[in-house]
Amino acid sequence: SYETLIRSRLFQPLGMTNSDLSVKAMRKSTDFSTGYLANSVSPGSQPVPLRDIEAVAPAGAINSSGRDMAQWLRFLLSGGVAPDGRRLLSKAGFAEMVKPQMEISPNTADYGLGWFLRKWQGLKVIEHGGNIDGFNAEVALMPEKRLGFVLLTNVTASPLTQQSLEVVWSHLVDAPETPKPTTPPVADVGPVVDAKEEAGDYTLVGPGVKLKVAFAENKLTLTVPGQPPYPLERLSGRRYKLAAPAPEGFFVTFRAVKDKPAETEASLEQPNGTFLLKKERSGTPETTPAFVSPITVEDLLSKMVTAAGGEAVLRRHRTFAAKSRATLENQGLTAEVETIAEYPNRREQKTKLLALGTKVIGTVRDHFDGMSGAFESDFTPSSEYSGPALADTALQSYLQPLLDVRKLFPGLRITRKSTVGDEEVLVLEKRPALGSPILEYVSTRSYRVLRRDLTTGPDQSRMSPPQTRTEVYSDFRTVDGETLPFRTVTKTASIGTQVETLMTVAFNVPVPPGTFAPGKETAKRAPK
C-alpha cells in the first residue's frame, strides 16, 4: 500500500520517527496541532475539525514535525541519499523529478514531477506549497547554496507560504553579482509612472481571463470577472497592493516588457503563486477594424434553436437524466458521472472517481437547487457557492438556456469569425447581469455550438483566481427530437484535459423529491 511504501522506503531510512499518515495516528502524539480558519474578512479564527483524506493521501495526508521535515530536506539536497549514505532515489530519477516537464508561466516558473521550478535572483529554486482545511505548508530548496526550508502553519490558505520564499532567501543568501549591462535594464518596479497610464485591459497568461485596470477619481482599481473592484494602493514605484475587500497578500507590479519598452505587463502576486498579466494594446479603427457580422444576433439565435431541435421540442423537455464516462487524462483517473436536471436551472451531478478503472477512490456531488448550491466530496470539505461562484453556477445549471437567453444575458453580440477544427464559426459573446461572460463558437454550417469558453468565479476564500474552462463538443446525436453532443473535451488549468462520453440520455424522467437538496455536511452549516 501507499502507506507501507512511505513508512518503509522514506520514513524509516530517513529517521522520520515523528511522522505518520493518518489523523488517528497523529492523535497519539502529545502535541499535535489543531487547524484554524482565519482571514481578513472575518475577524477571529475558528477551529477546523481534523479529518482523514485517505482517498487522496499522496496530496496531503502526511503529518510531520520540523525536525522530521529537516531530514526530508537533507534527503532532497543530497539528490536522493539517506543520512546513512544509502541511495534511495537514483541520480537519473532525481534529475527527472526536478527537470522542467511543462511551462506554467513564461519567464516565471516551470513544473517538474511534483515540484515548481523557479528562479530567485538567478538561482534555481525547487518548491511546492499546499493546504488542506486548517493547515498550510511550504517546502523550498536552493540546491546551488545547499539550503532548504520548511514552513508549517495551522491555518487554512495562509499567505505566509508564498511570502516566506522572498523573506527567507533574502536573509540567507547574498544575491549573485551580475555584470553591469551596457544599456540600462528594464526595472521590475521602476520609477513612478502616472497612475492613469497603468489603466487598460489585461489578460491572465495561461487561463486567458480578462482583467481590467481602471483609473477614476484619481485612483486605480483592478476588476476580476464576477468580483467587486479592488482599489490599488501604491507602495513604491509601480508596485501596488490590492486593498479591501481583497484579503491580505495580493499585489500587482506593473513593468515594461523586456526588450519592448513601449509595451506593459504586470505580475499579480497571490498567496498561491505569481501570475503574469499582459496588457492589451489599444488599437485604432484603421489598425483594428470593427467586425461586421454577416448575420444578426436574433437570426443566429433562431438558427441555434432550430439546430438543437426546435422551440417546441426544447419546451417539451422539462427534465434530463444522463450517465457518462470520463477520462481525466492528466490525473490518471477515470470517472462515472450521473447527471439529473430540471427546468429551469435545478441540477445535480454525482461523480465516482476510479483508480485503474475499477476501484472507487473518491466521490463528488455538485448540486444547485435554483437558489443555492454546493460542491461536496468525501475527500475535501463541502464548499457552498457564494458570490461570483454562485452566479456562475446558476447560469451554467440552466437546462434549456436557449429558451431564456435574452433574460439570462442582457449583453449579446457576435464578436468575430474563427474556426474550431476545420469548421468556420461565429463567436457569440454572452454577458449576464450577474456572473462571468460566456463565449460560444457557433458553426456557420450547422449552427451547433462546437465550443464554449466559461469562467468559474473564485471560491469563498478568494485565495485562487477565477478559472477559465474550455469545452469542445462533437459526436452530435438526436434523442427524442433534441440534438446534443455525446463527446465533450474539457480543459482547465487545474485539472488538465478531461474527455467525457455520454452513455445514456433520457428526457422527461421523474425527479425524486430532495434530489437537489444539500447533503448532510452542507445542511449542518445552513442558517436555521
Side-chain angles (χ1 to χ4, degrees), residues 269-401:
E269 303 159 43
Q270 304 187 142
N272 67 329
T274 299
F275 300 85
L276 182 65
L277 303 175
K278 287 286 190 180
K279 187 176 185 180
E280 297 180 8
R281 301 179 68 180
S282 56
T284 64
E286 290 73 29
T287 59
T288 311
F291 174 70
V292 178
S293 173
I295 187 175
T296 66
V297 169
E298 289 299 333
D299 284 345
L300 180 63
L301 293 174
S302 176
K303 291 179 181 293
M304 290 169 66
V305 169
T306 300
E311 183 176 351
V313 169
L314 300 185
R315 292 200 180 280
R316 175 163 54 84
H317 290 165
R318 311 303 287 179
T319 66
F320 168 85
K323 293 183 179 180
S324 57
R325 293 176 183 168
T327 300
L328 285 68
E329 293 186 350
N330 301 92
Q331 308 296 316
L333 298 173
T334 56
E336 295 176 352
V337 184
E338 293 186 17
T339 303
I340 189 164
E342 185 176 42
Y343 184 83
N345 64 338
R346 288 176 288 276
R347 182 174 176 273
E348 179 196 58
Q349 188 170 77
K350 294 189 292 187
T351 303
K352 293 180 181 178
L353 297 173
L354 308 176
L356 304 177
T358 56
K359 183 179 180 180
V360 178
I361 63 167
T363 61
V364 173
R365 178 175 180 253
D366 195 353
H367 63 90
F368 184 75
D369 65 4
M371 295 293 292
S372 61
F375 177 91
E376 303 168 350
S377 82
D378 62 356
F379 55 88
T380 62
S382 297
S383 175
E384 297 173 69
Y385 293 122
S386 64
L390 180 62
D392 291 336
T393 299
L395 285 173
Q396 295 165 22
S397 296
Y398 263 81
L399 176 58
Q400 301 290 2

Side-chain angles (χ1 to χ4, degrees), residues 212-285:
K212 178 176 277 299
V213 175
F215 182 80
E217 299 180 356
N218 207 33
K219 288 186 287 189
L220 279 177
T221 57
L222 172 68
T223 302
V224 180
Q227 299 186 35
Y230 298 120
L232 296 181
E233 295 180 356
R234 192 195 300 269
L235 298 177
S236 64
R238 302 179 71 181
R239 182 171 170 79
Y240 292 79
K241 171 187 176 182
L242 273 67
E248 295 296 325
F250 289 72
F251 305 89
V252 172
T253 301
F254 300 96
R255 62 193 179 212
V257 176
K258 187 177 181 180
D259 300 326
K260 296 179 181 179
E263 297 182 22
T264 300
E265 64 183 16
S267 63
L268 174 61
E269 303 159 43
Q270 304 187 142
N272 67 329
T274 299
F275 300 85
L276 182 65
L277 303 175
K278 287 286 190 180
K279 187 176 185 180
E280 297 180 8
R281 301 179 68 180
S282 56
T284 64

Side-chain angles (χ1 to χ4, degrees), residues 108 110 150 178 262 270 277 307 444 470-471 475 492:
T108 303
D110 296 305
V150 172
T178 54
Q270 304 187 142
L277 303 175
T444 56
T470 298
E471 300 175 349
D475 189 16
T492 61

Side-chain angles (χ1 to χ4, degrees), residues 494-523:
S494 61
I495 299 298
T497 300
Q498 174 179 310
V499 180
E500 184 172 354
T501 303
L502 284 174
M503 307 306 294
T504 64
V505 175
F507 291 101
N508 294 330
V509 297
V511 177
T515 295
F516 311 107
K520 292 180 180 179
E521 292 301 315
T522 305

